[in-house]
């Protein structure tokens, strides 16, 4: 999968996390909190080493992801969603 495809998937996982995490995933859907967080972690681990131009944004994303994971694990939906939206609003699909 190319970097562009991974960034697109990362943006999609962020969008879901911003509204559904940690406990509002629809029962009829295939995405769960655990699978969504695993997708974010896996995609970020693959994307981060490939970012050459946007190093500052990568560091920001790294810190906000950790903030979001911590908040969601603590059932602090608003704080986690805010951190996720801060990443999403960077327009992650355009990172290089």
């Amino acid at each position: 999968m190319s970097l562009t495809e991974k960034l697109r998937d990362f943006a999609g996982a962020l969008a879901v996390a911003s509204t559904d995490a940690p406990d509002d995933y629809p029962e009829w859907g295939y995405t769960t909190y655990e699978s969504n967080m695993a997708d974010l972690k896996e995609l970020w681990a693959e994307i981060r080493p490939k970012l050459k131009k946007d190093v500052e944004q990568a560091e920001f994303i790294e810190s906000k992801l950790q903030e979001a994971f911590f908040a969601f694990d603590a059932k602090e939906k608003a704080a986690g969603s805010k951190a996720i939206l801060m990443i999403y609003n960077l327009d992650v699909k355009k990172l290089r």
Side-chain angles (χ1 to χ4, degrees), residues 7-93:
L7 287 166
R8 189 173 38 234
D9 288 352
F10 187 63
L14 288 168
V16 171
S18 72
T19 58
D20 295 351
D23 54 8
D24 288 332
Y25 292 87
E27 291 182 25
W28 49 264
Y30 61 90
T31 302
T32 64
Y33 172 72
E34 292 79 12
S35 69
N36 190 209
M37 295 303 108
D39 286 347
L40 284 171
K41 289 174 184 177
E42 180 180 327
L43 287 164
W44 183 244
E46 294 173 11
I47 291 167
R48 171 102 194 221
K50 295 181 180 182
L51 297 179
K52 304 297 182 202
K53 292 183 180 180
D54 295 318
V55 176
E56 286 183 26
Q57 286 90 342
E59 292 172 6
F60 176 80
I61 292 168
E62 185 80 30
S63 70
K64 289 299 169 185
L65 278 175
Q66 294 306 315
E67 184 179 319
F69 296 146
F70 181 78
F72 289 146
D73 287 345
K75 304 291 187 212
E76 295 176 5
K77 181 180 176 102
S81 294
K82 181 180 177 183
I84 291 292
L85 285 171
M86 291 177 82
I87 299 168
Y88 186 83
N89 288 336
L90 290 175
D91 199 7
V92 293
K93 291 184 267 185

